Amino acid sequence: MNKWLKLIISIAISSVGLYYAFDQVDFNELWFHLKSVNLLWLSIAIMLLIFSVAIRAERWQLLLEPIENIRFHPLFAATMVGYFGNAVLPFRLGELLRAYTIAARENVETSAAFGTVILERILDMLGLVCMILIFGWLYPFDEAGRNIMLAVVIFTLVGFGFVLALGRAKSHLIEQIEKWSVFEKPWAHRILTIINSLVDGLTSIRATKHVGQIVLHTIFMWVVYYSITYAVILAAGIHLSWIEVGVVLISTSLAVAIPAAPGAVGTYHAAAVYVLTTLFFVSRTESQAFAVLLHAVGFVPLIIIGAIYFLRSSVNIKDISGQHITE
C-alpha cells in the first residue's frame, strides 16, 4: 500500500475517533472540568511517566548487552527521542529514529538496535497480555470484548514464540541463505548482513543473562502505567474501582496499536470516552476531560523532553530514511 494512502487512512481513522469522542461537547463544561483538575495527582502522573521511561531504558540496556554494553543515559535520551519521533512522525517512525539515535552515539549498528526495539514492543505486548488475563478474569467483559482480547493474546504469544524459534534456528537459516547464488553479489551480501544484524537484535533475549530482570522490568513498567492511569482518574475527580482502572488501561493501550495519526490522536480519546461512558456510566463531559488529560499526560511531557534531547543530538529527521538503517 502506498505510504501516502496509509497516511490518509491513518488520519481518517483519527478523525473518526475525534468525532466520536467530541461530537457532543459542551466546551464551557469541558473547560470547567479541566481547570478543576487536581494538580497534585496530575504532577504525580507526569513524574511516574518519566520514571517509566527510565525503566524502559534500563530494560533496553539489558536487551542490548549481548550486542554492546551501553551506558544508561544515552539509552534514556534515545528513548525520549523515539517518543518525540512517534508524536510528530507518521507510521511510528520514532522507533527507527530511536534506534538510529543510539547507533549514532554508540558502537552498535542501527539494524541491531532496531531489532531490540521491535523485541521491546513484543515484551510490552506480553505485559499487556498479563493485564488482559488479570482484568479479563476480574471484569465481566461482553463477548465482543473478550474475543478482541483473546485475539491480542494469541497474536502476541505466537509472535513471541516466533522470536524464540527464530533465535534457535538463526545460524542454520543464515547458512542456508548464504548458499543462494544471488548472495555472491556485494549488494545482496550487504542485505544479508543487515538482516543478520536485525535478527541478532530481535532475538537478543535468548543471549542475555538477565531474563529474570527483563521480566521484572516489564511487570514493573505495567504497574507504573496502571498507577499513571489511576493518578489521572483521581486528578479528574472520577470515581472508579481498581478493577475498572485496569479496564481503562487495557482499552487505551489497545487503542495505541490502531493505525492513526501521530500520537494516537483520536483513537486514544475515543477509547477512553467509550469505556467510561458505556461501561462505567461516567458523564460524557467528564469522560472527555479525562481523555484529554490522560492523552496530555502520556504525550506532552515526552514530546517536550524528547524534543530537547533531539535538538541536542546530531541526528536529523531525514536520517531515518530507509537507506540509513544499514549504518
Side-chain angles (χ1 to χ4, degrees), residues 26 38 45 74 98 150 155 182 225 248 254 260 271 288-289 302:
D26 184 326
N38 186 311
R98 174 183 170 192
L150 179 61
F155 179 80
V182 67
Y225 288 156
V248 173
L254 290 175
Q288 291 166 338
L302 300 184

Side-chain angles (χ1 to χ4, degrees), residues 9-315:
I9 293 174
S10 297
I11 293 174
I13 292 173
S14 285
S15 299
V16 171
L18 286 173
Y19 178 78
Y20 170 81
F22 298 104
D23 68 321
Q24 302 174 30
V25 57
D26 184 326
F27 287 103
N28 291 327
E29 190 177 351
L30 178 61
W31 174 242
F32 171 79
H33 285 293
L34 290 175
K35 70 180 182 180
S36 301
V37 66
N38 186 311
L39 294 179
L40 175 59
W41 281 114
L42 200 66
S43 300
I44 291 173
I46 292 172
M47 288 187 289
L48 285 171
L49 177 74
I50 297 171
F51 180 51
S52 74
V53 180
I55 300 171
R56 180 177 294 280
E58 192 170 78
R59 185 183 65 174
W60 194 20
Q61 185 180 42
L62 297 173
L63 291 172
L64 277 166
E65 189 180 84
I67 301 170
E68 184 70 27
N69 284 314
I70 302 177
R71 294 173 296 113
F72 169 80
H73 185 261
L75 293 168
F76 180 83
T79 303
M80 281 294 187
V81 170
Y83 277 119
F84 165 72
N86 280 337
V88 300
L89 297 172
F91 315 126
R92 298 189 66 84
L93 287 177
E95 309 293 7
L96 183 54
L97 180 61
R98 174 183 170 192
Y100 184 81
T101 299
I102 197 64
R105 292 190 55 174
E106 304 292 333
N107 185 31
V108 58
E109 291 189 4
T110 303
S111 50
F114 187 57
T116 59
V117 170
I118 297 174
L119 176 59
E120 256 217 318
R121 292 309 180 186
I122 295 174
L123 292 175
D124 288 345
M125 290 301 298
L126 286 173
L128 178 58
V129 164
C130 290
M131 300 297 285
I132 287 173
L133 293 176
I134 293 170
F135 292 103
W137 179 63
L138 293 172
Y139 183 82
F141 286 96
D142 60 20
E143 184 178 356
R146 289 189 177 279
N147 287 339
I148 291 173
M149 291 189 294
L150 179 61
V152 171
V153 170
I154 293 173
F155 179 80
T156 302
L157 293 179
V158 169
F160 187 63
F162 172 77
V163 168
L164 295 179
L166 183 62
R168 180 178 301 177
K170 181 181 77 72
S171 297
H172 177 71
L173 184 63
I174 294 297
E175 287 178 3
Q176 294 300 313
I177 293 176
E178 284 178 338
K179 295 178 182 179
W180 298 356
S181 59
V182 67
F183 287 104
E184 295 177 0
K185 300 178 181 179
W187 63 267
H189 184 73
R190 177 56 180 160
I191 292 175
L192 184 62
T193 301
I194 295 167
I195 294 174
N196 191 34
S197 178
L198 179 69
V199 173
D200 281 341
L202 181 60
T203 61
S204 64
I205 195 169
R206 288 184 55 87
T208 184
K209 300 176 181 178
H210 308 291
V211 173
Q213 292 184 56
I214 291 169
V215 171
L216 288 176
H217 276 70
T218 302
I219 294 172
F220 189 32
M221 192 158 56
W222 277 97
V223 170
V224 173
Y225 288 156
Y226 176 90
S227 301
I228 293 169
T229 306
Y230 213 151
V232 177
I233 284 172
L234 293 173
I238 297 173
H239 302 286
L240 295 180
S241 70
W242 67 275
I243 294 175
E244 292 168 341
V245 174
V247 174
V248 173
L249 173 60
I250 291 171
S251 302
T252 52
S253 298
L254 290 175
V256 173
I258 298 174
V265 173
T267 54
Y268 200 86
H269 301 82
V273 170
Y274 174 81
V275 170
L276 289 179
T277 57
T278 305
L279 300 185
F280 308 136
F281 308 107
V282 178
S283 73
R284 191 166 188 84
T285 307
E286 281 185 297
S287 301
Q288 291 166 338
F290 169 78
V292 171
L293 289 172
L294 186 61
H295 187 267
V297 165
F299 287 89
V300 174
L302 300 184
I303 293 173
I304 295 173
I305 299 172
I308 293 171
Y309 276 113
F310 176 75
L311 293 174
R312 290 175 58 184
S313 72
S314 59
V315 176

